[in-house]
Amino acid sequence: MGFAAACAVACAAQDLRVPQSAVAGEIATISTTGSGNATFYLIGPGVSRKTDVTLGQEVPLAAQDLRNAGEYLAIVCSGTCSSANFYVSAAKPSSITFLVHPSRVPVGQENVVSGVAFPFDQHHNLVLTTQNVSFQLTAKDASLWSHPVQTQNGVAWFRTSSGKSAGPVQVVSALGDLTSRRVLQQVASDPCNLRITGQRTKAGILVQTDPVHDCAGNVVSDGTIVTFTATGAQGTGTVDAPIKQGIARAQIDAPGAAAISVASGVVMGNEIHVGAQP
Amino acid sequence: MTRTFKSAAHILFAAPVAALMILLFAAAPDSTAADTNVQVQLNTQKAGPREIEPLTARGILRDYRFAWTSMAQALESNTLDPFEGPFSGDARQWLRQTVLGQQQSGLSRRYLDQTHQLEVVFYAPEGDVMELHDTAQYQLQIRDGDKTIHDEHVVVHYVVLMTPAADRWVIRQLQAVPQF
Protein backbone atom coordinates (compact mmCIF):
# COMPACT_ATOMS: atom_id res chain seq x y z
CA MET A 1 0.00 0.00 0.00
CA GLY A 2 2.84 2.37 0.84
CA PHE A 3 4.30 1.72 -2.55
CA ALA A 4 1.02 2.43 -4.29
CA ALA A 5 0.50 5.66 -2.35
CA ALA A 6 3.97 6.86 -3.24
CA CYS A 7 3.30 6.06 -6.87
CA ALA A 8 0.08 8.03 -6.89
CA VAL A 9 2.09 11.17 -6.26
CA ALA A 10 5.18 10.47 -8.33
CA CYS A 11 3.68 8.68 -11.29
CA ALA A 12 1.11 11.15 -12.55
CA ALA A 13 3.15 11.41 -15.70
CA GLN A 14 2.70 7.71 -16.50
CA ASP A 15 -0.94 6.94 -15.99
CA LEU A 16 -2.54 3.85 -17.43
CA ARG A 17 -5.98 3.56 -18.97
CA VAL A 18 -7.09 -0.05 -19.02
CA PRO A 19 -10.05 -1.58 -20.91
CA GLN A 20 -13.40 -1.11 -19.23
CA SER A 21 -14.67 -4.42 -20.55
CA ALA A 22 -12.41 -6.96 -22.19
CA VAL A 23 -13.47 -10.29 -23.62
CA ALA A 24 -11.37 -13.42 -23.54
CA GLY A 25 -9.44 -14.02 -26.73
CA GLU A 26 -10.00 -10.54 -28.15
CA ILE A 27 -7.35 -7.91 -28.63
CA ALA A 28 -7.38 -4.82 -26.43
CA THR A 29 -5.20 -1.80 -25.82
CA ILE A 30 -3.92 0.03 -22.79
CA SER A 31 -3.16 3.70 -23.20
CA THR A 32 -0.36 5.41 -21.33
CA THR A 33 0.45 9.01 -20.67
CA GLY A 34 3.79 10.70 -20.26
CA SER A 35 6.91 10.46 -22.36
CA GLY A 36 10.10 8.45 -22.54
CA ASN A 37 10.80 4.78 -22.28
CA ALA A 38 9.25 2.52 -19.69
CA THR A 39 8.80 -1.13 -18.84
CA PHE A 40 5.33 -2.55 -19.15
CA TYR A 41 4.15 -5.62 -17.27
CA LEU A 42 0.98 -7.60 -17.88
CA ILE A 43 0.16 -9.96 -15.01
CA GLY A 44 -2.83 -12.23 -15.28
CA PRO A 45 -4.08 -15.80 -15.40
CA GLY A 46 -1.69 -17.58 -17.74
CA VAL A 47 0.32 -14.49 -18.64
CA SER A 48 3.37 -12.80 -17.13
CA ARG A 49 4.64 -10.47 -19.81
CA LYS A 50 7.35 -7.82 -19.62
CA THR A 51 8.01 -5.48 -22.54
CA ASP A 52 9.59 -2.13 -23.26
CA VAL A 53 7.15 0.59 -24.24
CA THR A 54 7.17 4.26 -25.05
CA LEU A 55 5.03 6.31 -22.71
CA GLY A 56 2.29 8.25 -24.40
CA GLN A 57 1.64 5.43 -26.83
CA GLU A 58 -0.92 2.68 -26.70
CA VAL A 59 0.19 -0.76 -25.56
CA PRO A 60 -1.46 -3.47 -27.65
CA LEU A 61 -2.60 -6.60 -25.83
CA ALA A 62 -2.66 -9.66 -28.05
CA ALA A 63 -5.67 -11.97 -28.10
CA GLN A 64 -3.37 -14.75 -26.88
CA ASP A 65 -2.48 -12.72 -23.77
CA LEU A 66 -6.14 -12.35 -22.80
CA ARG A 67 -7.49 -15.82 -23.51
CA ASN A 68 -8.11 -16.63 -19.85
CA ALA A 69 -10.98 -14.88 -18.11
CA GLY A 70 -10.09 -13.26 -14.82
CA GLU A 71 -8.32 -10.32 -13.27
CA TYR A 72 -5.34 -8.72 -14.96
CA LEU A 73 -2.88 -6.22 -13.61
CA ALA A 74 -1.08 -3.75 -15.86
CA ILE A 75 2.04 -2.12 -14.44
CA VAL A 76 4.22 0.48 -16.09
CA CYS A 77 7.56 1.44 -14.57
CA SER A 78 9.80 4.30 -15.47
CA GLY A 79 11.77 5.05 -12.36
CA THR A 80 8.60 4.57 -10.36
CA CYS A 81 5.71 2.30 -11.17
CA SER A 82 1.97 2.78 -11.56
CA SER A 83 -0.64 0.11 -12.01
CA ALA A 84 -4.24 -0.54 -12.91
CA ASN A 85 -6.28 -3.69 -12.94
CA PHE A 86 -9.06 -4.86 -15.23
CA TYR A 87 -11.19 -7.91 -15.78
CA VAL A 88 -11.53 -10.13 -18.80
CA SER A 89 -14.85 -11.92 -19.09
CA ALA A 90 -15.58 -15.18 -20.87
CA ALA A 91 -16.52 -15.04 -24.54
CA LYS A 92 -19.73 -16.54 -25.88
CA PRO A 93 -20.38 -20.23 -25.14
CA SER A 94 -18.75 -22.67 -27.54
CA SER A 95 -19.12 -25.94 -25.67
CA ILE A 96 -21.15 -27.52 -22.92
CA THR A 97 -19.70 -29.76 -20.28
CA PHE A 98 -22.55 -32.12 -19.51
CA LEU A 99 -22.58 -34.69 -16.72
CA VAL A 100 -25.44 -37.20 -16.53
CA HIS A 101 -26.07 -39.85 -13.89
CA PRO A 102 -26.59 -42.73 -13.77
CA SER A 103 -25.59 -44.50 -16.97
CA ARG A 104 -27.99 -47.37 -16.28
CA VAL A 105 -31.29 -46.95 -14.49
CA PRO A 106 -34.41 -49.06 -13.81
CA VAL A 107 -37.63 -47.80 -15.34
CA GLY A 108 -40.30 -46.13 -13.27
CA GLN A 109 -38.02 -44.72 -10.56
CA GLU A 110 -38.66 -41.23 -9.25
CA ASN A 111 -35.97 -38.53 -9.46
CA VAL A 112 -33.15 -40.89 -10.30
CA VAL A 113 -31.80 -39.22 -13.44
CA SER A 114 -29.85 -36.00 -13.02
CA GLY A 115 -27.73 -33.85 -15.25
CA VAL A 116 -25.46 -30.83 -14.80
CA ALA A 117 -24.38 -28.50 -17.62
CA PHE A 118 -21.63 -25.89 -17.62
CA PRO A 119 -21.21 -23.60 -20.65
CA PHE A 120 -17.62 -22.81 -21.59
CA ASP A 121 -16.21 -20.47 -24.21
CA GLN A 122 -13.63 -21.54 -26.79
CA HIS A 123 -10.82 -20.76 -24.36
CA HIS A 124 -12.32 -23.01 -21.66
CA ASN A 125 -13.53 -20.14 -19.51
CA LEU A 126 -16.73 -20.72 -17.57
CA VAL A 127 -19.48 -18.51 -19.01
CA LEU A 128 -21.08 -16.81 -16.02
CA THR A 129 -23.64 -14.66 -17.79
CA THR A 130 -27.14 -16.15 -17.73
CA GLN A 131 -27.72 -18.67 -20.52
CA ASN A 132 -30.83 -20.60 -21.51
CA VAL A 133 -30.18 -24.31 -21.50
CA SER A 134 -32.74 -26.85 -22.64
CA PHE A 135 -32.61 -30.40 -21.31
CA GLN A 136 -34.35 -33.15 -23.26
CA LEU A 137 -34.79 -36.88 -22.89
CA THR A 138 -35.67 -38.79 -26.06
CA ALA A 139 -36.12 -42.46 -26.87
CA LYS A 140 -36.54 -43.75 -30.42
CA ASP A 141 -37.00 -40.16 -31.65
CA ALA A 142 -39.89 -39.59 -29.26
CA SER A 143 -39.53 -36.86 -26.68
CA LEU A 144 -39.98 -38.22 -23.18
CA TRP A 145 -39.31 -35.05 -21.25
CA SER A 146 -37.89 -31.57 -21.76
CA HIS A 147 -37.16 -28.73 -19.44
CA PRO A 148 -35.71 -25.24 -20.04
CA VAL A 149 -33.35 -23.95 -17.37
CA GLN A 150 -31.43 -20.72 -16.99
CA THR A 151 -27.87 -21.01 -15.81
CA GLN A 152 -27.15 -19.58 -12.42
CA ASN A 153 -23.51 -18.92 -11.55
CA GLY A 154 -22.60 -20.67 -14.77
CA VAL A 155 -24.43 -23.91 -14.11
CA ALA A 156 -27.76 -25.45 -15.05
CA TRP A 157 -29.04 -28.76 -13.76
CA PHE A 158 -32.06 -31.02 -13.73
CA ARG A 159 -33.42 -34.05 -11.98
CA THR A 160 -36.18 -36.24 -13.35
CA SER A 161 -37.71 -39.69 -13.14
CA SER A 162 -36.86 -42.58 -15.42
CA GLY A 163 -39.31 -43.51 -18.18
CA LYS A 164 -41.58 -46.51 -18.59
CA SER A 165 -39.79 -48.43 -21.33
CA ALA A 166 -36.48 -50.21 -21.26
CA GLY A 167 -33.91 -49.22 -23.84
CA PRO A 168 -31.42 -46.46 -24.60
CA VAL A 169 -32.43 -42.89 -23.83
CA GLN A 170 -30.65 -39.88 -25.25
CA VAL A 171 -30.15 -37.04 -22.83
CA VAL A 172 -29.43 -33.76 -24.56
CA SER A 173 -28.47 -30.37 -23.25
CA ALA A 174 -28.85 -27.59 -25.80
CA LEU A 175 -27.72 -23.98 -25.67
CA GLY A 176 -28.49 -22.12 -28.87
CA ASP A 177 -26.81 -24.14 -31.62
CA LEU A 178 -24.69 -26.06 -29.16
CA THR A 179 -25.73 -29.50 -28.05
CA SER A 180 -24.16 -32.12 -25.87
CA ARG A 181 -25.52 -35.67 -25.84
CA ARG A 182 -25.27 -38.53 -23.40
CA VAL A 183 -26.93 -41.92 -23.51
CA LEU A 184 -28.31 -43.73 -20.53
CA GLN A 185 -29.70 -47.24 -20.57
CA GLN A 186 -33.11 -47.75 -19.03
CA VAL A 187 -33.53 -51.32 -17.88
CA ALA A 188 -36.53 -53.23 -16.59
CA SER A 189 -37.40 -52.70 -12.98
CA ASP A 190 -38.08 -55.51 -10.46
CA PRO A 191 -39.97 -58.54 -11.79
CA CYS A 192 -43.72 -58.41 -11.54
CA ASN A 193 -46.09 -61.44 -11.34
CA LEU A 194 -43.21 -63.88 -11.10
CA ARG A 195 -44.60 -67.32 -11.97
CA ILE A 196 -43.00 -70.74 -12.21
CA THR A 197 -43.93 -74.15 -13.53
CA GLY A 198 -42.23 -77.42 -12.69
CA GLN A 199 -42.15 -81.08 -13.56
CA ARG A 200 -40.42 -84.09 -12.25
CA THR A 201 -37.72 -85.60 -14.40
CA LYS A 202 -35.34 -88.51 -13.92
CA ALA A 203 -32.74 -86.15 -12.47
CA GLY A 204 -35.06 -84.38 -10.05
CA ILE A 205 -37.42 -81.46 -10.53
CA LEU A 206 -37.05 -79.08 -13.45
CA VAL A 207 -38.50 -75.68 -12.63
CA GLN A 208 -38.61 -72.63 -14.85
CA THR A 209 -40.19 -69.24 -14.81
CA ASP A 210 -42.60 -67.82 -17.29
CA PRO A 211 -41.00 -64.97 -19.26
CA VAL A 212 -40.03 -62.49 -16.53
CA HIS A 213 -41.32 -58.95 -16.98
CA ASP A 214 -41.50 -55.92 -14.79
CA CYS A 215 -44.84 -54.28 -14.02
CA ALA A 216 -44.56 -52.10 -17.15
CA GLY A 217 -44.10 -55.16 -19.37
CA ASN A 218 -40.36 -54.78 -19.99
CA VAL A 219 -38.39 -58.01 -20.19
CA VAL A 220 -36.17 -58.24 -17.13
CA SER A 221 -32.49 -58.17 -18.07
CA ASP A 222 -30.59 -61.37 -18.64
CA GLY A 223 -28.35 -62.14 -15.74
CA THR A 224 -30.86 -61.09 -13.10
CA ILE A 225 -30.79 -63.75 -10.42
CA VAL A 226 -33.91 -65.78 -9.59
CA THR A 227 -33.88 -67.93 -6.47
CA PHE A 228 -35.83 -71.17 -6.33
CA THR A 229 -36.46 -72.66 -2.88
CA ALA A 230 -37.57 -76.27 -2.43
CA THR A 231 -39.02 -77.38 0.89
CA GLY A 232 -39.72 -81.06 1.53
CA ALA A 233 -39.43 -83.80 4.12
CA GLN A 234 -35.67 -83.71 3.75
CA GLY A 235 -35.38 -80.03 4.50
CA THR A 236 -34.99 -76.85 2.49
CA GLY A 237 -32.66 -76.13 -0.38
CA THR A 238 -32.15 -73.14 -2.66
CA VAL A 239 -30.87 -72.77 -6.18
CA ASP A 240 -29.94 -69.46 -7.79
CA ALA A 241 -30.31 -69.20 -11.54
CA PRO A 242 -29.72 -66.25 -13.85
CA ILE A 243 -32.36 -65.21 -16.32
CA LYS A 244 -31.42 -66.17 -19.88
CA GLN A 245 -33.50 -64.84 -22.74
CA GLY A 246 -36.20 -63.82 -20.30
CA ILE A 247 -36.50 -67.16 -18.49
CA ALA A 248 -34.73 -68.68 -15.48
CA ARG A 249 -34.41 -72.47 -15.16
CA ALA A 250 -33.10 -74.75 -12.46
CA GLN A 251 -32.77 -78.45 -11.75
CA ILE A 252 -33.58 -79.33 -8.15
CA ASP A 253 -32.39 -82.62 -6.70
CA ALA A 254 -35.38 -83.62 -4.55
CA PRO A 255 -36.57 -87.26 -4.64
CA GLY A 256 -39.51 -86.63 -2.32
CA ALA A 257 -42.50 -84.33 -2.64
CA ALA A 258 -41.52 -80.69 -2.45
CA ALA A 259 -43.04 -77.24 -2.33
CA ILE A 260 -41.11 -74.90 -4.59
CA SER A 261 -41.26 -71.15 -4.31
CA VAL A 262 -39.52 -68.45 -6.31
CA ALA A 263 -38.17 -64.98 -5.59
CA SER A 264 -36.06 -62.35 -7.29
CA GLY A 265 -34.73 -59.59 -5.11
CA VAL A 266 -37.60 -58.58 -2.87
CA VAL A 267 -40.25 -59.92 -5.23
CA MET A 268 -41.93 -63.22 -4.38
CA GLY A 269 -43.61 -65.44 -6.97
CA ASN A 270 -46.05 -68.31 -6.80
CA GLU A 271 -45.49 -71.64 -5.08
CA ILE A 272 -45.92 -75.03 -6.73
CA HIS A 273 -46.12 -78.54 -5.30
CA VAL A 274 -44.42 -81.45 -7.05
CA GLY A 275 -45.08 -85.00 -6.00
CA ALA A 276 -42.49 -87.61 -5.00
CA GLN A 277 -40.56 -89.72 -7.49
CA PRO A 278 -42.67 -92.80 -8.47
CA MET B 1 -9.69 0.54 -11.73
CA THR B 2 -11.89 -1.59 -9.63
CA ARG B 3 -9.50 -2.81 -7.00
CA THR B 4 -11.25 -3.02 -3.67
CA PHE B 5 -9.63 -2.76 -0.31
CA LYS B 6 -10.10 -4.51 2.98
CA SER B 7 -13.03 -3.13 4.90
CA ALA B 8 -14.88 -3.80 8.10
CA ALA B 9 -17.77 -5.15 6.09
CA HIS B 10 -15.65 -7.96 4.76
CA ILE B 11 -14.58 -8.87 8.24
CA LEU B 12 -18.18 -8.80 9.47
CA PHE B 13 -19.13 -11.09 6.60
CA ALA B 14 -17.14 -13.80 8.28
CA ALA B 15 -18.93 -13.46 11.60
CA PRO B 16 -20.26 -16.80 12.67
CA VAL B 17 -24.01 -17.18 12.56
CA ALA B 18 -25.53 -20.01 14.50
CA ALA B 19 -27.59 -21.22 11.57
CA LEU B 20 -24.59 -21.36 9.29
CA MET B 21 -22.17 -24.13 9.06
CA ILE B 22 -18.88 -22.35 9.16
CA LEU B 23 -15.67 -24.17 9.61
CA LEU B 24 -12.30 -22.65 10.14
CA PHE B 25 -9.07 -24.15 9.02
CA ALA B 26 -5.92 -22.23 9.57
CA ALA B 27 -2.29 -23.09 9.88
CA ALA B 28 0.50 -21.42 11.70
CA PRO B 29 3.12 -19.72 9.58
CA ASP B 30 6.26 -21.68 8.99
CA SER B 31 9.72 -20.80 7.87
CA THR B 32 9.47 -21.87 4.23
CA ALA B 33 10.01 -19.33 1.50
CA ALA B 34 6.35 -19.06 0.54
CA ASP B 35 3.95 -17.71 3.12
CA THR B 36 1.77 -20.59 4.24
CA ASN B 37 -0.43 -18.58 6.55
CA VAL B 38 -3.58 -19.40 4.60
CA GLN B 39 -6.88 -19.15 6.42
CA VAL B 40 -10.01 -20.59 4.88
CA GLN B 41 -13.58 -20.29 6.13
CA LEU B 42 -16.30 -22.35 4.52
CA ASN B 43 -20.00 -21.56 4.42
CA THR B 44 -22.19 -24.38 3.17
CA GLN B 45 -25.57 -22.77 3.88
CA LYS B 46 -26.35 -22.16 0.20
CA ALA B 47 -25.10 -25.53 -0.98
CA GLY B 48 -27.55 -27.45 -3.09
CA PRO B 49 -29.16 -29.42 -4.53
CA ARG B 50 -27.03 -31.97 -2.69
CA GLU B 51 -26.36 -31.52 0.97
CA ILE B 52 -22.76 -31.37 2.07
CA GLU B 53 -21.67 -33.92 4.64
CA PRO B 54 -19.35 -32.66 7.39
CA LEU B 55 -16.58 -34.95 6.16
CA THR B 56 -16.85 -33.47 2.67
CA ALA B 57 -16.73 -29.94 4.09
CA ARG B 58 -13.56 -30.80 5.97
CA GLY B 59 -12.04 -32.23 2.80
CA ILE B 60 -12.87 -29.10 0.84
CA LEU B 61 -11.30 -26.89 3.51
CA ARG B 62 -8.16 -29.00 3.65
CA ASP B 63 -7.74 -29.30 -0.11
CA TYR B 64 -8.60 -25.69 -0.97
CA ARG B 65 -6.13 -24.42 1.55
CA PHE B 66 -3.50 -26.81 0.25
CA ALA B 67 -4.17 -25.65 -3.31
CA TRP B 68 -3.58 -22.00 -2.43
CA THR B 69 -0.49 -22.84 -0.42
CA SER B 70 0.84 -24.80 -3.38
CA MET B 71 -0.08 -22.06 -5.84
CA ALA B 72 1.66 -19.42 -3.75
CA GLN B 73 4.79 -21.58 -3.54
CA ALA B 74 4.79 -22.27 -7.26
CA LEU B 75 4.29 -18.66 -8.32
CA GLU B 76 6.91 -17.39 -5.90
CA SER B 77 9.57 -19.96 -6.72
CA ASN B 78 8.56 -20.43 -10.36
CA THR B 79 8.33 -24.19 -10.14
CA LEU B 80 5.64 -26.39 -11.63
CA ASP B 81 5.63 -29.32 -9.22
CA PRO B 82 3.30 -27.77 -6.62
CA PHE B 83 0.48 -27.71 -9.19
CA GLU B 84 0.51 -31.51 -9.50
CA GLY B 85 -2.19 -32.80 -7.22
CA PRO B 86 -4.29 -29.85 -6.08
CA PHE B 87 -5.07 -28.58 -9.59
CA SER B 88 -6.44 -30.26 -12.66
CA GLY B 89 -7.67 -29.45 -16.14
CA ASP B 90 -7.86 -25.83 -17.23
CA ALA B 91 -6.81 -24.41 -13.87
CA ARG B 92 -3.58 -26.38 -13.91
CA GLN B 93 -3.04 -25.45 -17.55
CA TRP B 94 -3.13 -21.69 -17.02
CA LEU B 95 -1.16 -21.89 -13.81
CA ARG B 96 1.59 -23.73 -15.67
CA GLN B 97 1.47 -21.08 -18.39
CA THR B 98 1.80 -18.42 -15.72
CA VAL B 99 4.92 -19.98 -14.26
CA LEU B 100 6.46 -20.54 -17.68
CA GLY B 101 5.75 -16.89 -18.53
CA GLN B 102 7.31 -15.78 -15.27
CA GLN B 103 10.40 -17.92 -15.91
CA GLN B 104 10.81 -16.22 -19.29
CA SER B 105 10.31 -12.69 -18.03
CA GLY B 106 12.10 -13.05 -14.68
CA LEU B 107 8.97 -12.21 -12.69
CA SER B 108 7.50 -13.78 -9.59
CA ARG B 109 4.43 -13.24 -7.43
CA ARG B 110 3.87 -13.51 -3.71
CA TYR B 111 0.51 -14.09 -2.06
CA LEU B 112 0.92 -13.12 1.60
CA ASP B 113 -1.48 -13.23 4.55
CA GLN B 114 -4.20 -15.01 2.67
CA THR B 115 -7.74 -15.28 3.98
CA HIS B 116 -10.45 -16.98 1.96
CA GLN B 117 -14.15 -16.75 2.66
CA LEU B 118 -15.42 -19.71 0.73
CA GLU B 119 -19.08 -20.31 0.02
CA VAL B 120 -20.53 -23.35 -1.70
CA VAL B 121 -23.15 -22.20 -4.22
CA PHE B 122 -23.74 -25.48 -6.05
CA TYR B 123 -23.18 -29.12 -5.22
CA ALA B 124 -24.26 -31.46 -8.00
CA PRO B 125 -26.97 -34.06 -7.26
CA GLU B 126 -24.49 -36.92 -7.60
CA GLY B 127 -21.67 -35.13 -5.80
CA ASP B 128 -19.32 -35.08 -8.77
CA VAL B 129 -18.78 -31.32 -9.00
CA MET B 130 -18.98 -28.37 -6.66
CA GLU B 131 -19.02 -24.65 -7.41
CA LEU B 132 -17.74 -22.24 -4.80
CA HIS B 133 -17.35 -18.49 -4.44
CA ASP B 134 -14.19 -17.33 -2.75
CA THR B 135 -13.76 -13.81 -1.46
CA ALA B 136 -10.01 -13.83 -1.09
CA GLN B 137 -7.88 -11.20 0.59
CA TYR B 138 -4.13 -11.15 0.42
CA GLN B 139 -1.09 -9.00 0.02
CA LEU B 140 -0.03 -9.32 -3.61
CA GLN B 141 3.59 -8.62 -4.41
CA ILE B 142 4.96 -8.65 -7.95
CA ARG B 143 8.72 -8.89 -8.23
CA ASP B 144 10.98 -8.38 -11.22
CA GLY B 145 14.09 -10.21 -10.16
CA ASP B 146 14.85 -8.86 -6.69
CA LYS B 147 12.90 -5.66 -7.17
CA THR B 148 9.32 -5.34 -5.95
CA ILE B 149 7.35 -3.49 -8.60
CA HIS B 150 3.91 -3.89 -7.05
CA ASP B 151 2.74 -4.41 -3.48
CA GLU B 152 -0.93 -4.14 -2.66
CA HIS B 153 -3.55 -5.57 -0.36
CA VAL B 154 -6.32 -6.86 -2.57
CA VAL B 155 -9.76 -8.40 -2.33
CA VAL B 156 -10.47 -10.71 -5.25
CA HIS B 157 -13.59 -12.71 -5.99
CA TYR B 158 -13.01 -16.15 -7.44
CA VAL B 159 -15.47 -18.58 -8.99
CA VAL B 160 -14.14 -22.05 -8.32
CA LEU B 161 -15.07 -25.47 -9.67
CA MET B 162 -13.83 -28.45 -7.69
CA THR B 163 -14.24 -32.13 -8.44
CA PRO B 164 -13.42 -35.18 -6.37
CA ALA B 165 -10.33 -37.12 -7.39
CA ALA B 166 -9.08 -40.40 -5.99
CA ASP B 167 -8.11 -39.08 -2.57
CA ARG B 168 -8.86 -35.35 -2.60
CA TRP B 169 -10.85 -32.52 -4.12
CA VAL B 170 -9.06 -30.76 -6.96
CA ILE B 171 -9.56 -27.31 -8.43
CA ARG B 172 -10.52 -27.46 -12.11
CA GLN B 173 -11.52 -23.85 -12.61
CA LEU B 174 -10.34 -20.73 -10.79
CA GLN B 175 -11.71 -17.62 -12.40
CA ALA B 176 -11.60 -14.12 -10.89
CA VAL B 177 -14.67 -11.94 -11.38
CA PRO B 178 -15.38 -8.31 -10.46
CA GLN B 179 -18.23 -9.37 -8.19
CA PHE B 180 -20.54 -12.30 -7.51
Side-chain angles (χ1 to χ4, degrees), chain A residues 157-216:
Chain A
W157 70 281
F158 74 90
R159 185 153 47 195
T160 189
S161 304
S162 59
K164 300 290 181 197
S165 301
V169 172
Q170 283 217 0
V171 188
V172 179
S173 67
L175 195 169
D177 296 336
L178 303 172
T179 57
S180 185
R181 295 172 190 276
R182 300 288 179 269
V183 175
L184 69 85
Q185 187 73 25
Q186 289 192 152
V187 297
S189 191
D190 290 330
C192 201
N193 298 321
L194 190 59
R195 293 192 61 79
I196 54 170
T197 56
Q199 61 184 24
R200 183 162 290 286
T201 64
K202 287 180 182 174
I205 302 169
L206 176 64
V207 287
Q208 72 171 41
T209 64
D210 290 350
V212 184
H213 295 94
D214 66 9
C215 293

Side-chain angles (χ1 to χ4, degrees), chain A residues 41 46 67 71 101 124 153, chain B residues 3 97-98 128 131 144 173:
Chain A
Y41 301 90
R67 65 187 180 282
E71 187 188 29
H101 286 286
H124 310 291
N153 297 318
Chain B
R3 177 86 65 198
Q97 289 166 357
T98 304
D128 48 1
E131 181 174 339
D144 184 352
Q173 202 80 22

Side-chain angles (χ1 to χ4, degrees), chain A residues 120-175:
Chain A
F120 285 89
D121 70 7
Q122 62 175 321
H123 307 287
H124 310 291
N125 299 301
L126 181 62
V127 179
L128 293 165
T129 53
T130 302
Q131 305 290 326
N132 294 311
V133 176
S134 172
F135 294 113
Q136 295 170 8
L137 271 66
T138 59
K140 296 174 185 170
D141 297 329
S143 177
L144 302 177
W145 176 88
S146 68
H147 189 52
V149 180
Q150 283 195 328
T151 59
Q152 196 173 4
N153 297 318
V155 58
W157 70 281
F158 74 90
R159 185 153 47 195
T160 189
S161 304
S162 59
K164 300 290 181 197
S165 301
V169 172
Q170 283 217 0
V171 188
V172 179
S173 67
L175 195 169

